[in-house]
């Protein structure tokens, strides 16, 4: 006989769900059993750790071709639910629709400090914009419906907590026609608002009168690359990207300077500092130190969420609307400029950066420069690849060296910046896009923390994918490298061996142990051939690249404080000082302006 759990599984099917990432446990076994009884209508993907499930749900929503696809994850209560939290925060921070279905102890035991009982309502209150603990079967219909509607409408996280006895209760009753009853349904229509003519005219006036226009695009502009480039062409503008907007336009376009911020390029910083007009499209970029000084430019911002307008940077005109419809309505109002001097200067900055990046990537010294595997991958990845990265130094090189083209999709843990989602994202991409190659760039620390679990899951499922290939490129340098560089450049502290050194782990051998493909490369000239091997594999593969930990992730613009902190950290007895000086002093110096070089020399005597 069908019970509440069967109803829940049927209801989430009506919301378009055919896949749930999860891990079983006695607190959620009712729903797991109902998924089994669905005869494959809803697929249960057993991840090797609950955190893989919640990161996977976030990435599934990011990568799915349906913009209204909801990522769904499931766990038992107590510790299982706690393991979901980081991935749920990742979804909330990056505005992805995710619903978590979480078990709880039986109703009679709630509040009694029962085995594995946690106060789940309090625990998820900060991450979920809608959370409900279902107390009666009659509440299930409206609870599930509102969770999905909230996740979709607000691009956020919703959590449904199900006590174990509710899951096993008799079927959900039809609401009575009486006071207090709630009738809900599963219809949903995406909102596509459009600003008023007056607002569009005001925005066009600012953009048309600008002489040095910069476009800053983010995740809200994904899928609108042609319109973005048309706006840039009419205005003679340069284009810079926030990291979540990486796939909006390709870095190969001459007017595109790449990314902005610590992970970005010198050309992007120069574009921001040299413009007189800023057009922010689908982003509320939060790092003010990389944007033009307050009051130095006139700014237009478009975002579908009114709360994002002016959130981190003042906007003279805010356009609340769907990006595609707004740009389409704005374009006829924009006048084509014949003055190409500014965009020509932008292209010159871009060519200079390209030459520097190529020279650094193709260095023949060993250990291998970490840029090299990204450079070689960019030459080889197919036009429909799905590409992910972690939040350590791998994100820096991913930002600068991977140039999206065709229908490639890319993402990272953007606003949360969690250390470990690269492998989880790459895994989830194979369920969202099973006919595409998935590639994840992962640091050795992140790989030890969660990536090896992702490989276990990949081994279990790869023969169900249309294209069985998933490549994890592991940057093995034995160091928690991003933090090491932050310690040097931000705090002026030398590398602390006790916190930064990682235990050795043979990642390629581990892949082979699982029955997957493992390739370890130690010489720079072998990196390209190694990529050819893993891309030709008939199963998931690990490409383990033995990288130099002493190549600095120099930002596009180096401040005097950062440069001198870095040099002072070496002088304090950094254990790798000699190697760092030999391998990276030139890069640091190249990133400094003439004025900064003089200031550094004076400060250091």
């Amino acid at each position: 006989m069908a019970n509440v759990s069967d109803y829940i599984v049927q209801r989430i099917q009506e919301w378009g769900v055919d896949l749930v990432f999860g891990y079983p446990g006695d607190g959620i076994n009712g729903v797991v059993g109902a998924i089994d009884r669905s005869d494959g209508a809803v697929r249960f993907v057993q991840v090797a750790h609950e955190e893989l499930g919640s990161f996977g749900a976030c990435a599934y929503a990011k990568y799915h071709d349906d913009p209204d696809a909801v990522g769904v994850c499931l766990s038992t209560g107590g510790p299982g639910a706690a393991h979901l939290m980081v991935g749920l925060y990742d979804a909330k921070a990056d505005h992805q629709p995710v619903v978590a279905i979480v078990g709880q102890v039986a109703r009679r035991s709630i509040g009694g400090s029962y085995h594995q009982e946690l106060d789940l309502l309090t625990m998820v209150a900060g991450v979920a914009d809608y959370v409900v603990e279902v107390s009666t079967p009659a509440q299930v219909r409206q609870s599930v419906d509102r969770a999905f509607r909230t996740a979709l409408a607000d691009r956020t996280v919703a959590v449904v907590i199900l006590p174990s006895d509710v899951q096993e209760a008799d079927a959900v009753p039809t609401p009575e026609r009486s006071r207090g009853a709630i009738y809900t349904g599963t219809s949903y229509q995406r909102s596509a608002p459009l600003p008023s003519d007056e607002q569009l005219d005001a925005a066009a006036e600012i953009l048309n009168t600008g002489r040095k226009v910069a476009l800053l695009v983010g995740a809200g502009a994904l899928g609108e690359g042609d319109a973005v480039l048309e706006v840039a062409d009419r205005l003679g503008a340069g284009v810079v990207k926030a990291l979540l907007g990486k796939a909006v336009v390709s870095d190969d376009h001459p007017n595109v300077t790449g990314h902005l911020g610590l992970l970005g390029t010198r050309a992007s910083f120069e574009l921001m500092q040299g413009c007189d007009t800023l057009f922010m499209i689908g982003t509320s970029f939060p790092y003010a130190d990389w944007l033009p000084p307050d009051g130095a430019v006139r700014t237009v911002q478009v975002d579908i969420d009114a709360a994002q307008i002016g959130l981190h940077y003042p906007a003279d005109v805010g356009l609340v609307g769907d990006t595609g419809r707004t740009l389409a309505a704005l374009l006829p109002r924009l006048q084509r400029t014949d003055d190409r001097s500014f965009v020509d200067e932008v292209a010159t900055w871009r060519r200079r950066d390209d030459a520097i990046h190529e020279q650094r990537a193709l260095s023949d010294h060993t250990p291998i420069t970490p840029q090299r595997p990204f450079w070689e991958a960019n030459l080889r990845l197919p036009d429909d690849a799905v590409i992910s990265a972690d939040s350590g130094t791998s994100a820096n090189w991913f930002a600068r060296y991977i140039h999206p083209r065709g229908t490639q999709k890319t993402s990272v843990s953007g606003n949360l910046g969690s250390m470990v989602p690269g492998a989880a994202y790459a895994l989830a991409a194979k369920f969202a896009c099973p006919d595409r190659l998935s590639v994840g760039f992962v640091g050795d620390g992140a790989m030890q923390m969660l990536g090896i679990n992702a490989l276990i899951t990949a081994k279990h499922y790869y023969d169900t994918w249309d294209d069985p290939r998933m490549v994890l490129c592991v940057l093995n340098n034995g160091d928690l490298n991003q933090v090491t560089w932050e310690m040097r450049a931000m705090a002026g502290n030398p590398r602390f061996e006790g916190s930064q050194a990682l235990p050795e782990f043979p990642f390629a051998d581990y892949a082979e142990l699982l029955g997957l493909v493992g390739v370890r490369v130690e010489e720079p000239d072998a990196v390209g051939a190694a990529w050819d091997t893993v891309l030709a594999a008939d199963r998931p593969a690990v490409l383990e690249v033995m990288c130099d930990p002493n190549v600095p992730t120099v930002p596009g613009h180096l401040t005097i404080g950062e440069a001198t902190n870095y040099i002072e950290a070496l002088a304090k007895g950094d254990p790798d000082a000699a190697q760092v000086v030999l391998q990276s002093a030139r890069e640091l110096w190249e990133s400094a302006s003439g004025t900064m070089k003089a200031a550094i020399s004076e400060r250091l005597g």
Side-chain angles (χ1 to χ4, degrees):
M1 180 197 302
N3 61 16
V4 166
S5 292
D6 295 299
Y7 179 91
I8 291 170
V9 172
Q10 176 61 40
R11 199 67 172 179
I12 68 175
Q13 289 179 61
E14 293 173 24
W15 278 100
V17 175
D18 60 8
L19 182 147
V20 174
F21 297 95
Y23 205 83
D26 60 355
I28 198 63
N29 279 345
V31 175
V32 172
I35 293 175
D36 182 32
R37 291 191 293 274
S38 74
D39 292 327
V42 174
R43 185 181 182 189
F44 185 81
V45 176
Q46 184 206 77
V47 290
H49 191 289
E50 287 96 347
E51 195 167 317
L52 279 174
S54 53
F55 275 127
C58 175
Y60 185 87
K62 285 184 174 184
Y63 288 142
H64 203 284
D65 290 334
D66 181 357
D68 292 330
V70 179
V72 180
C73 55
L74 171 152
S75 80
T76 188
H83 285 161
L84 292 178
M85 293 301 293
V86 179
L88 295 182
Y89 270 106
D90 187 46
K92 181 180 179 67
D94 284 354
H95 308 289
Q96 297 303 311
V98 167
V99 172
I101 300 172
V102 179
Q104 178 60 294
V105 300
R107 287 171 291 179
R108 63 182 176 273
S109 302
I110 292 175
S113 296
Y114 194 75
H115 177 63
Q116 291 194 329
E117 181 193 359
L118 292 179
D119 182 355
L120 299 181
L121 286 169
T122 300
M123 186 175 78
V124 304
V127 70
D129 286 345
Y130 173 72
V131 56
V132 61
E133 187 171 82
V134 178
S135 59
T136 175
Q139 193 182 354
V140 168
R141 173 175 162 178
Q142 57 101 349
S143 297
V144 172
D145 287 350
R146 186 173 178 188
F148 277 88
R149 194 177 310 282
T150 301
L152 281 165
D154 296 338
R155 308 292 296 179
T156 191
V157 173
V159 177
V160 179
I161 302 169
L162 296 168
S164 59
D165 56 331
V166 172
Q167 297 172 46
E168 300 289 358
D170 291 339
V172 175
T174 300
E176 298 177 358
R177 292 184 58 81
S178 62
R179 185 180 298 274
I182 297 176
Y183 289 83
T184 58
T186 58
S187 62
Y188 172 77
Q189 181 62 48
R190 173 183 283 266
S191 174
L194 185 66
S196 68
D197 287 338
E198 292 78 11
Q199 292 169 321
L200 290 165
D201 289 340
E205 186 278 328
I206 289 177
L207 296 173
N208 286 329
T209 56
R211 292 294 173 263
K212 297 181 177 182
V213 182
L215 275 54
L216 173 57
V217 300
L222 288 169
E224 305 299 337
D226 290 343
V228 167
L229 291 178
E230 177 63 22
V231 171
D233 181 61
R234 292 199 186 187
L235 300 175
V239 182
V240 63
K241 300 183 288 185
L243 194 55
L244 288 177
K246 185 172 186 63
V248 173
V249 292
S250 175
D251 299 71
D252 290 333
H253 192 284
N255 296 3
V256 177
T257 59
H259 293 281
L260 186 63
L262 287 173
L263 313 186
T265 65
R266 181 177 172 186
S268 294
F269 180 78
E270 290 167 331
L271 174 58
M272 285 293 100
Q273 301 310 303
C275 68
D276 61 21
T277 306
L278 177 62
F279 188 12
M280 301 175 68
I281 306 175
T283 182
S284 59
F285 191 82
Y287 307 110
D289 47 331
W290 295 95
L291 295 171
D294 187 16
V297 299
R298 301 180 75 190
T299 302
V300 175
Q301 183 180 355
V302 57
D303 202 290
I304 198 167
D305 183 358
Q308 299 297 314
I309 302 291
L311 179 63
H312 297 124
Y313 195 78
D316 295 281
V317 173
L319 302 176
V320 179
D322 173 77
T323 302
R325 293 190 67 201
T326 300
L327 293 181
L330 184 62
L331 270 166
R333 294 171 161 86
L334 299 181
Q335 301 166 5
R336 181 176 176 82
T337 179
D338 293 326
D339 182 2
R340 318 307 284 182
S341 58
F342 183 61
V343 75
D344 288 344
E345 186 176 16
V346 170
T348 300
W349 298 336
R350 161 66 196 279
R351 288 192 297 270
R352 177 208 60 211
D353 282 4
D354 283 350
I356 292 172
H357 293 166
E358 180 176 6
Q359 178 186 18
R360 292 174 179 174
L362 298 182
S363 169
D364 61 0
H365 85 263
T366 55
I368 301 166
T369 59
Q371 298 98 315
R372 185 64 175 262
F374 294 85
W375 173 271
E376 299 287 358
N378 191 59
L379 299 176
R380 292 169 167 81
L381 296 182
D383 287 357
D384 64 349
V386 183
I387 313 166
S388 310
D390 273 318
S391 300
T393 54
S394 55
N396 294 60
W397 312 127
F398 164 79
R400 297 176 197 175
Y401 285 90
I402 297 299
H403 295 179
R405 59 184 180 273
T407 60
Q408 286 179 350
K409 300 185 180 190
T410 68
S411 198
V412 298
S413 174
N415 291 298
L416 184 64
S418 178
M419 177 177 167
V420 295
Y425 273 32
L427 177 66
K430 293 304 303 183
F431 293 98
C433 311
D435 58 342
R436 296 193 186 199
L437 167 70
S438 176
V439 174
F441 291 97
V442 185
D444 47 1
M447 193 66 185
Q448 290 186 20
M449 188 180 290
L450 194 61
I452 56 177
N453 294 339
L455 283 179
I456 296 170
T457 306
K459 166 63 186 303
H460 188 48
Y461 288 103
Y462 81 83
D463 60 358
T464 69
W465 301 332
D466 297 334
D467 181 336
R469 296 175 301 163
M470 182 187 92
V471 178
L472 295 184
C473 178
V474 182
L475 307 183
N476 190 346
N477 56 25
D479 184 62
L480 294 173
N481 208 227
Q482 182 75 8
V483 177
T484 293
W485 287 108
E486 289 169 348
M487 291 171 68
R488 288 167 173 158
M490 296 181 182
N493 289 325
R495 178 177 181 271
F496 174 34
E497 189 82 7
S499 72
Q500 300 310 108
L502 285 167
E504 292 184 10
F505 190 92
F507 298 106
D509 290 347
Y510 179 74
E512 293 281 344
L513 180 66
L514 290 175
L516 306 177
V517 173
V519 178
R520 175 180 167 121
V521 60
E522 300 182 6
E523 298 295 332
D525 290 343
V527 175
W531 269 112
D532 292 336
T533 298
V534 295
L535 291 176
D538 63 352
R539 63 195 63 202
V542 168
L543 173 56
E544 181 181 7
V545 184
M546 306 308 294
C547 290
D548 188 347
N550 296 313
V551 176
T553 56
V554 180
H557 170 70
L558 195 64
T559 68
I560 294 173
E562 288 167 344
T564 52
N565 280 343
Y566 166 78
I567 296 171
E568 288 171 355
L570 301 183
K572 290 177 181 177
D574 192 297
D576 293 329
Q579 292 88 345
V580 170
V581 170
L582 286 172
Q583 302 289 6
S584 61
R586 175 175 54 84
E587 295 190 18
L588 286 164
W589 198 248
E590 285 176 354
S591 298
S593 65
T595 301
M596 187 181 299
K597 290 174 183 176
I600 293 170
S601 299
E602 180 180 353
R603 179 166 169 179
L604 295 176

